[in-house]
Amino acid sequence: MTTTTSHTPEPEGPARPGRLIQNEATTEIPVHLLFRDDAGPVSVPLKPAIVARRQGTGEQPRLRRPMQTEPRPAPEVDPDLVERPARVLPGAAGVFAGACGAAGCLATSWWAGVLPSLAVEALRLPVSAGAGLGPVQWAAYTGAGALGLVGLGGLARGRTGRAWVLGLFGRYRGTVRRTGLLWVNPLLLRRRVDVRLRHWRSEPMPAADGSGVALRVIVLVVWRVRDTARALLAVEDHESYLRECVEAALARVPVEMPGGSRGSVEAAGETLTRLVVRDAQAVGLEVFSVRPVRVEYAPEVAAAMHRRRIAALDAQHRATVLTSVVDSVEDTVTRLTVRGLVELDDYERKALVKDLTVAFCAGRGETGG
């Protein structure tokens, strides 16, 4: 008799839900990715995270995108504001005009008969009939006097390393870099500028090191005015602007205390120089170097950092002493056992090491070494 047995498939475990959590504030997480029976690698496609809307606000979900830092734009000024040479004349022209004006006034006085007799005799002039001071004489006085004032009033002396920025009614008219005796239009406003190579030692400025500890830094800046028009007209005060550029650069660049690696100090100086050059060249300033010459802790953290440095030196000294004592004990025990002077078991070896360590430490403490 043949019995046919039908194999009924055993019921599998409870069906796993397709999703573990799904709501407005979370992303869908398939359960089979959390509890897998096979050990094969799992490839999960990455999707941008979704920020859920807040309840009751009606705000729609939005993608969370990574922050993009845009490069800081360089400062710009009026492109037409560029230094150009001003029109000036040699000083001899002003001297000649002044002499002509003085001679004209003298001649008018003789013509009007108001020139003193002593002056007439000294100059050997003929006696004038004396026409008197009429409208014609006053007009001659005015013309001669104006010529003399314009000629003598426009005389100026140009010096090496100095320049004048000229302006008329608020408009830039040019720059004078020539030296010697010159004649400049007396109606123009003159502003003197020092164009020599200059160095500026700053006052203590706030800064920080790589760990964020507050510092006070004194920097040495070597610079000069390259474009006088921009230096005087693009900013209110180019020296104050340079000082603020240096302070802003120190706030962005970590500065190391003296005694650090030379490479880090040089790198900080190069970074400071690059940042200040970038900000200062737009206003006609040429910066050659920005170097920290003195670095110290800020007053509020100076005492704490001093105690920290003393503690670090003390810990380093203790570690050095301990290393020296351990080496001495090891050398002593090795010599005693190798030469066969003593035979020690483990207990005796440990006791000897302990006694020698105490003795060596006590000896170094008494000698201060």
Side-chain angles (χ1 to χ4, degrees), residues 298-337:
E300 60 270 17
V301 299
M305 297 307 298
H306 181 66
R307 291 193 298 268
R308 178 180 177 183
R309 176 172 294 184
I310 293 178
L313 292 176
D314 184 65
Q316 183 179 2
H317 176 69
R318 290 177 181 272
T320 303
V321 171
L322 181 59
T323 302
S324 178
V325 168
V326 170
D327 293 341
S328 300
V329 171
E330 181 182 7
D331 184 64
T332 302
V333 174
T334 302
R335 289 185 178 184
L336 291 174
T337 55

Side-chain angles (χ1 to χ4, degrees), residues 243-258:
R243 184 182 300 108
E244 293 172 0
C245 288
V246 173
E247 188 172 357
L250 283 174
R252 300 167 57 189
V253 178
V255 181
E256 298 296 333
M257 284 292 294

Side-chain angles (χ1 to χ4, degrees), residues 262-297:
R262 183 176 180 181
S264 61
V265 176
E266 292 294 332
E270 293 297 333
T271 305
L272 287 173
T273 303
R274 184 173 64 254
L275 293 177
V276 176
V277 166
R278 180 175 180 270
D279 293 337
Q281 66 181 359
V283 296
L285 302 182
E286 186 176 9
V287 179
F288 297 94
S289 66
V290 181
R291 292 289 184 269
V293 295
R294 183 177 179 181
V295 183
E296 59 185 11
Y297 290 111

Side-chain angles (χ1 to χ4, degrees), residues 18-34:
R19 296 176 178 83
L20 180 62
I21 303 174
Q22 181 183 4
N23 56 22
E24 293 180 346
T26 59
T27 310
E28 300 180 3
I29 306 177
V31 175
H32 71 279
L33 295 181
L34 301 179

Side-chain angles (χ1 to χ4, degrees), residues 77-365:
V77 296
D78 186 1
D80 296 333
L81 187 60
V82 181
E83 178 181 328
R84 61 178 182 270
R87 296 178 180 179
V88 295
L89 298 177
V95 174
F96 178 75
C100 290
C105 291
L106 184 63
T108 304
S109 300
W110 173 81
W111 179 27
V114 296
L115 190 65
S117 58
L118 295 177
V120 172
E121 293 177 358
L123 297 175
R124 298 180 181 180
L125 297 175
V127 179
S128 174
L133 293 176
V136 178
Q137 286 76 14
W138 284 114
Y141 268 127
T142 303
L147 180 61
L149 290 177
V150 170
L152 298 179
L155 292 177
R157 183 179 61 174
R159 298 181 180 180
T160 303
R162 303 294 178 88
W164 283 305
V165 175
L166 307 181
L168 180 62
F169 303 117
R171 183 179 180 183
Y172 174 63
R173 304 298 295 180
T175 299
V176 179
R177 287 181 177 262
R178 296 171 57 180
T179 59
L181 188 62
L182 306 172
W183 183 85
V184 183
N185 187 348
L187 299 180
L188 298 177
L189 177 63
R190 310 175 194 175
R191 299 178 63 181
R192 188 181 295 274
V193 187
D194 191 343
V195 295
R196 295 173 296 181
L197 186 66
R198 305 169 63 182
H199 67 278
W200 168 58
R201 183 185 176 96
S202 71
E203 66 278 0
M205 293 184 172
D209 60 5
S211 302
V213 179
L215 303 175
R216 289 292 183 270
V217 181
I218 297 177
V219 297
L220 179 65
V221 184
V222 181
W223 65 286
R224 70 176 179 182
V225 175
R226 184 179 183 88
D227 191 312
T228 56
R230 292 190 174 187
L232 263 70
L233 304 178
V235 290
E236 183 177 0
D237 187 352
H238 61 276
E239 294 184 2
S240 299
Y241 177 79
L242 178 62
R243 184 182 300 108
E244 293 172 0
C245 288
V246 173
E247 188 172 357
L250 283 174
R252 300 167 57 189
V253 178
V255 181
E256 298 296 333
M257 284 292 294
S261 61
R262 183 176 180 181
S264 61
V265 176
E266 292 294 332
E270 293 297 333
T271 305
L272 287 173
T273 303
R274 184 173 64 254
L275 293 177
V276 176
V277 166
R278 180 175 180 270
D279 293 337
Q281 66 181 359
V283 296
L285 302 182
E286 186 176 9
V287 179
F288 297 94
S289 66
V290 181
R291 292 289 184 269
V293 295
R294 183 177 179 181
V295 183
E296 59 185 11
Y297 290 111
E300 60 270 17
V301 299
M305 297 307 298
H306 181 66
R307 291 193 298 268
R308 178 180 177 183
R309 176 172 294 184
I310 293 178
L313 292 176
D314 184 65
Q316 183 179 2
H317 176 69
R318 290 177 181 272
T320 303
V321 171
L322 181 59
T323 302
S324 178
V325 168
V326 170
D327 293 341
S328 300
V329 171
E330 181 182 7
D331 184 64
T332 302
V333 174
T334 302
R335 289 185 178 184
L336 291 174
T337 55
V338 169
R339 295 181 181 181
L341 299 179
V342 293
E343 293 182 1
L344 305 173
D345 55 11
D346 293 340
Y347 178 78
E348 293 174 343
R349 180 184 294 273
K350 293 179 181 180
L352 179 60
V353 169
K354 179 180 179 181
D355 295 340
L356 290 175
T357 303
V358 173
F360 286 158
C361 288
R364 291 183 176 272

